[in-house]
Amino acid sequence: MPKETFFILDDEKQEKVMRAAINEFSAHGFEKANIGLIAKNAAVAKGSIYQYFENKKELFLFSVKWSTDYLMKKYDIYSSYKNATTDVFDYLYSSSKDAWLQMREERELVIFIQDVFLGKYKNLTDESVSVMLKYANEYIIGLIRDGKKKGHIRQDIDDRMLSLFVTGASTKIKEYLMIKAREAGDDIVDGDFEVYDKDIKAMIELLKNGMGAK
Amino acid sequence: MPKETFFILDDEKQEKVMRAAINEFSAHGFEKANIGLIAKNAAVAKGSIYQYFENKKELFLFSVKWSTDYLMKKYDIYSSYKNATTDVFDYLYSSSKDAWLQMREERELVIFIQDVFLGKYKNLTDESVSVMLKYANEYIIGLIRDGKKKGHIRQDIDDRMLSLFVTGASTKIKEYLMIKAREAGDDIVDGDFEVYDKDIKAMIELLKNGMGAK
Amino acid sequence: MPKETFFILDDEKQEKVMRAAINEFSAHGFEKANIGLIAKNAAVAKGSIYQYFENKKELFLFSVKWSTDYLMKKYDIYSSYKNATTDVFDYLYSSSKDAWLQMREERELVIFIQDVFLGKYKNLTDESVSVMLKYANEYIIGLIRDGKKKGHIRQDIDDRMLSLFVTGASTKIKEYLMIKAREAGDDIVDGDFEVYDKDIKAMIELLKNGMGAK
Amino acid sequence: MPKETFFILDDEKQEKVMRAAINEFSAHGFEKANIGLIAKNAAVAKGSIYQYFENKKELFLFSVKWSTDYLMKKYDIYSSYKNATTDVFDYLYSSSKDAWLQMREERELVIFIQDVFLGKYKNLTDESVSVMLKYANEYIIGLIRDGKKKGHIRQDIDDRMLSLFVTGASTKIKEYLMIKAREAGDDIVDGDFEVYDKDIKAMIELLKNGMGAK
DNA sequence: GATGAATGAGCCTTCATTCAT
DNA sequence: TATGAATGAAGGCTCATTCAT
């Protein structure tokens, strides 16, 4: 965690520092990321970085936390999931939409987090990432159990396999959206999501057919 | 590509060099990988590495190619697929089995390639990886089209979505096997695959239900 | 010399600052001594240190002066010598006793000053130390001349050599006491001096024999 | 100890490196000593220093050893003492002469070693120095015991006190010679020792009187 | 061609000092 | 005057690459 001094900064400055860091880590990876450049891009003295963070590693780790928290807060992910999704298929649909939105507005952060999850910084994040993945997974498993209870989901296949099935498809559909968004570059607009809507629904249809109760 | 001098080495030496490199890159990532250590572990002079490769990057890139080629050749992947697999589901089954086998015998290489594909070395491999993914994908698409023609696969969803659906599930099931194999460590034995056989079949069942023609 | 601001502080605060400084210099040497830590241990802001002292060097130099003055005042060294010691041998005896006492009560300061004199901070203190040594030496020379006049000390050897002879033995006997005291740690008690009393007297006997008039 | 690579260098280069290091440590102390400057003055790349030594500390520690060994070898100290000195007073005389000679020809090294022994680098050398001092002291004690046995030295004072007495005087007379030599600067000549010869003899006379048997 | 010592650019980190509050 | 955050120079160390043998 950053030192007290970091939190004394006004929010704008904090954000500037974090975005400079994330930007640099994304561009050059952890080892090659240059603290001097981060400082310069945040319009802060190099030494100041060390008043905020113990060292490069702490800065990196907090970059991960900050991005996640930032997106969480911005898209109010917790509440939206907690309230809106009643079954796995809804979840898949709305989280796809979220991914799209985030990608549109916070490409930098989203790509950074994606990279973290995909293992680009493996040696640094192994533990914390696996913790987060576990949480995400448990959420899905919960939805699946609920679905089985309610009779929407077939009983003959065990939860673990079903969750792999869902997350596999889910990952892919998000990847697909991400790629589309990356390709579109800065020109993505709100409406673009509609274009892919039928694709997402097709994927969900496949899942429903695959795992739905007859 | 390596310089002429590398190919003059006898095969055993070549392999020793490549395995030392892969080992080091796997352990410490590209930036922190130490050419001196690679040389030492390959029982070769540090300078010799530069007689074989232009620089560290070339050594890395060739490590990727070498591992892929090595596994391809060892497991005769092309031919086995070309001949044996007649539909997507067979493909999924046999490639899962392959993955398992490779993991058992060549853990080091497999993990390295996995990491490459999962983006650990993103900045370096982006292009070459996307090329390889494209090939793999085209192969799947081919199988899907074939399945549609033969009437095994539903016609109402487009090829791209179907391929995402298959590769999503496929990726997950392989991940699942990999994790099991990593956990088992050096103690994996041939028979262990049987334990997971029904899981794989369950996953394929899900896929079939999802995308199979009614 | 410190700035005016330092002397405005109440004595207790002044002492706290100086002891913190001495403590830090003793522990880490001049270069590695950390102004931030000194401030923290003195319960004063880092910036305040710079309100009291021009820079680190001045703080150090004043630490030397302060310790010396402090011990001088506390043990009233000047007057006690001026009054009580009538010859070199008395001086040696009483200054040994002083050294012992000081070591018992102000280990920290005494060790610091010792280190200064022994050259640990040579580059910084060369001049001031040599000034102090010169004073001490002149005092001894005075005693020697007095002794010669009164007929206690042999005439055939020049003052300079005699003073080297005395201070050599004196230094050693004090070193000896210091080491004993350091070894005893916090447990030195008043009485302990008696244990070494006969050693000191033996040393003085040697000196007397060596330089005493026949 | 240095790495193998250091000993591969020809003797001239080794000496150049060591003298550059000693020079720098003497001038600026351990912390402020600048590896870059040492390298430059030794006409060697900065990185090369790290091929020879693990780090700055090892370089320093070897500087101490190297200087000591160098002087030992050059002045054949071991054998000259072992053979020539038959009693403490001879020892004192010849070691004074040695000190003078060394000071004349190797001012730099001698001052460096002096500083080491006097505690300028206390934190670094404490242990190794105390070992060396112990050896030196045991040698003196041996001479004293021998003198007592042969009847040259009084029996009524214990060995430890006598050794303090001798080393005190010895230290001072050497200091005296050193100071003279430092003052004379580069202009010391062989003959200069004669000037101080009678001083040394006076000091020895004092010692003899002090501790000699009646 | 093989070797491994030499090279020096590059970067994280420390911390004395300054400065705005 | 007190504070403590901001600053940036400085330096130890690493290591990819070069080069002399």
Side-chain angles (χ1 to χ4, degrees), chain B residues 132-143:
Chain B
M132 298 182 76
L133 287 176
K134 187 164 289 176
Y135 276 120
N137 204 245
E138 270 166 20
Y139 183 66
I140 305 266
I141 299 245
L143 291 177

Side-chain angles (χ1 to χ4, degrees), chain B residues 59-71:
Chain B
L59 172 58
F60 174 80
L61 258 12
F62 190 67
S63 299
V64 178
K65 178 170 168 42
W66 187 87
S67 335
T68 319
D69 289 352
Y70 183 91
L71 292 183

Side-chain angles (χ1 to χ4, degrees), chain B residues 69-116:
Chain B
D69 289 352
Y70 183 91
L71 292 183
M72 285 283 188
K73 209 185 312 163
K74 181 159 180 185
Y75 298 98
D76 202 1
I77 291 171
Y78 272 124
S79 67
S80 72
Y81 289 170
K82 289 263 157 73
N83 302 329
T85 64
T86 45
D87 72 29
V88 222
F89 309 111
D90 282 357
Y91 163 78
L92 180 54
Y93 184 74
S94 60
S95 71
S96 297
K97 192 155 198 172
D98 275 354
W100 178 264
L101 266 180
Q102 292 169 38
M103 189 68 190
R104 220 199 69 213
E105 295 170 336
E106 294 286 357
R107 194 173 5 269
E108 188 95 55
L109 295 190
V110 173
I111 290 175
F112 176 63
I113 295 183
Q114 256 178 255
D115 286 346
V116 168

